[in-house]
Amino acid sequence: MLSSLFSAYPTFQVFLGFILAAAITMVMMPAWIRLLTRTHIGQQVRADGPQSHLVKQGTPTMGGVIMIIAVVITVLLVVAPSPQFVSSLVAVLLIGALGLFDDASKVIHERSLGLTPKGKLIGQFSVFGIFTLVVVNFMGIEPTVQIPFLPAIDLGVLTTVIPCDFVEGGFRIPWLYVLFSLILLGGLSNAVNLTDGLDGLAAGTVMVVMLVMAGIAYRMDMLPMSVFGATIAGACVGFLWFNAYPADIFMGDTGSLALGAALGCIAMITKTEIYSVIIGGLFVAEALSVMLQVLYFKRTKKRLFLMAPLHHHFEKKGWSETKVVIRFWIVSGVLAATGFVLWFIQPMVMGAMGL
């Protein structure tokens, strides 16, 4: 096992995870693309989307399968797993499986919509609810939320305790924190899914965000979680080789839902839930653009944006697909750096304020 060989070099393990995940993804992806092409498993493009996207019809999808495989192989090779990592990985795999089912449904029925929104949310909330209860009761994760430059807020005040032989003091169900986590994890998972609408957009932005989350986890001495974030970033790099415009393959819901879930899980384990909303601010903006578009249209029968999600709005304004993608990468990098800086100076500011 590489984990025992390089256990004395944690920084090297993080970088090794990044490189190895990128390499595995790049090696395995061509064969996966050929298989999908031969079996005619391709993307179904929205009929109401930009007309320039119609040429993407039939492009192989479900590239997220290889990304997830690369992440699992790499992490298990590079670092000794911790309980927090295992619980996060299981949650991500289950959400990836949900996305895979959604992708398969689209291909089988030859339509751009797979699972119903209600069905997808039920699946996500079930996984995220169980994940939250497991990490709170068995992993020592406190049901608190740290808002930048303010004392932590305890969301465990509304708690049901169920007698349990396996948990000292009983099995806790912190209802407020569970509700918060469902909104956070479900929101990030679906936000990344909405961002995955242009060649290279989701992979590039997730790569940047995950590198920052890996840095935070490393700073907190959570090596397995740091390697987890780094391997996801590496898998995104390997995938970008084939997903760059014009894309040879799309990650599909298999990848985008799982990547968003991974971001949320790392945020919960590192107690950076609010910071993750800043670090992944581009994803939040994409999701908000869809919600605002729907609400505004229902009230006024007019469109707030030329098209939602937000990246399509700029396409409609005349920006080329590559210009939108690169500029969104830049915005994502700025937001990720801002979130990291706020997190880093938080203890110093709180100390200076005597809190």
Side-chain angles (χ1 to χ4, degrees):
M1 290 287 289
L2 296 177
S3 59
S4 58
L5 184 62
F6 299 117
S7 59
Y9 310 98
T11 306
F12 178 76
Q13 286 178 278
V14 175
F15 280 94
L16 179 61
F18 178 88
I19 294 298
L20 192 57
I24 293 174
T25 302
M26 294 186 71
V27 168
M28 296 181 66
M29 196 64 73
W32 183 242
I33 293 174
R34 289 194 295 270
L35 175 62
L36 294 174
T37 302
R38 285 199 302 268
T39 53
H40 304 289
I41 297 178
Q43 179 72 22
Q44 302 299 314
V45 178
R46 287 171 51 187
D48 60 343
Q51 294 300 300
S52 60
H53 288 206
L54 294 178
V55 297
K56 303 175 187 283
Q57 182 79 16
T59 301
T61 187
M62 293 190 284
V65 170
I66 300 301
M67 300 173 71
I68 293 174
I69 291 174
V71 168
V72 172
I73 292 174
T74 302
V75 175
L76 294 180
L77 283 175
V78 171
V79 69
S82 66
Q84 293 91 342
F85 159 71
V86 172
S87 60
S88 299
L89 181 61
V90 170
V92 170
L93 289 175
L94 290 174
I95 295 300
L98 179 69
L100 180 61
F101 184 81
D102 190 36
D103 286 331
S105 178
K106 294 175 185 177
V107 172
I108 293 172
H109 297 99
E110 297 184 349
R111 60 189 184 189
S112 61
L113 296 176
L115 291 173
T116 64
K118 182 179 180 181
K120 191 181 296 186
L121 284 176
I122 290 174
Q124 289 175 307
F125 285 172
S126 298
V127 173
F128 295 142
I130 294 172
F131 170 77
T132 301
L133 293 176
V134 167
V135 298
V136 166
N137 285 278
F138 298 100
M139 311 298 173
I141 302 300
E142 292 298 323
T144 58
V145 175
Q146 178 65 63
I147 298 176
F149 313 127
L150 292 175
I153 299 176
D154 185 6
L155 295 183
V157 291
L158 182 60
T159 301
T160 299
V161 179
I162 301 174
C164 179
D165 295 335
F166 301 104
V167 183
E168 184 178 353
F171 190 86
R172 291 189 298 166
I173 306 177
W175 296 102
L176 285 178
Y177 188 68
V178 170
L179 177 61
F180 170 80
S181 68
L182 291 179
I183 295 173
L184 176 77
L185 295 170
L188 289 175
S189 181
N190 287 298
V192 174
N193 180 239
L194 290 170
T195 304
D196 186 31
L198 300 179
D199 298 354
L201 179 56
T205 51
V206 170
M207 174 195 67
V208 173
V209 167
M210 281 300 176
L211 286 175
V212 170
M213 296 303 293
I216 290 175
Y218 187 84
R219 176 81 177 177
M220 298 178 68
D221 293 325
M222 295 183 178
L223 182 61
M225 297 306 297
S226 180
V227 173
F228 186 38
T231 57
I232 292 174
C236 287
V237 169
F239 180 71
L240 269 174
W241 184 264
F242 306 95
N243 187 235
Y245 181 84
D248 298 317
I249 188 170
F250 303 130
M251 68 172 66
D253 287 3
T254 309
S256 58
L257 290 177
L259 294 179
L263 171 58
C265 290
I266 295 175
M268 283 188 61
I269 297 298
T270 57
K271 300 307 298 175
T272 55
E273 295 99 332
I274 301 300
Y275 293 99
S276 70
V277 175
I278 302 171
I279 293 169
L282 180 72
F283 309 135
V284 176
E286 291 271 34
L288 285 176
S289 70
V290 174
M291 290 187 286
L292 290 173
Q293 182 86 316
V294 172
L295 291 173
Y296 189 78
F297 185 80
K298 285 184 176 180
R299 290 181 64 89
T300 67
K301 302 304 178 183
K302 297 179 181 179
R303 298 181 185 275
L304 182 62
F305 301 100
L306 298 178
M307 182 176 287
L310 194 58
H311 52 263
H312 289 324
H313 170 78
F314 289 103
E315 278 193 293
K316 287 288 189 178
K317 287 178 69 69
W319 292 16
S320 67
E321 183 169 347
T322 52
K323 176 174 285 189
V324 175
V325 169
I326 292 174
R327 287 184 172 176
F328 273 41
W329 285 354
I330 294 171
V331 171
S332 182
V334 171
L335 289 170
T338 301
F340 179 81
V341 169
L342 291 175
W343 172 83
F344 190 86
I345 66 174
Q346 161 87 11
M348 293 178 279
V349 172
M350 296 292 286
M353 295 171 63
L355 298 175

